Amino acid sequence: MALYGITEREKAVTVTHAGVPHPDAECHGVVAQATQNRVLVVFVSALQRVAHPPAFADTDAEVGKH
């Protein structure tokens, strides 16, 4: 059910919106928690805090088209 809520929120976020990285990171966290593997949960959480990969993406309307 949590993933459904995340995907619904993602539908409302445009590619230029500052909130683009949040649903993506949340989705990965929920999937990690679903595994019930504490090591994976901690790893995904740490990776999100350190890397923030979507935060560095150049998002504009042209990127959204692709």
Side-chain angles (χ1 to χ4, degrees), residues 2-65:
L3 288 177
Y4 178 77
I6 293 168
T7 56
E8 288 302 306
R9 286 196 307 279
E10 281 185 319
K11 291 177 185 177
V13 177
T14 64
V15 70
T16 57
H17 190 276
V20 167
H22 303 294
D24 182 60
E26 188 179 357
C27 177
H28 287 98
V30 167
V31 170
Q33 289 174 0
T35 68
Q36 297 183 352
N37 180 329
R38 293 187 305 182
V39 174
L40 182 61
V41 172
V42 170
F43 175 75
V44 168
S45 176
L47 187 60
Q48 289 172 345
R49 281 193 308 272
V50 174
H52 299 288
F56 298 113
D58 181 22
T59 57
D60 58 22
E62 190 62 31
V63 171
K65 290 178 186 177

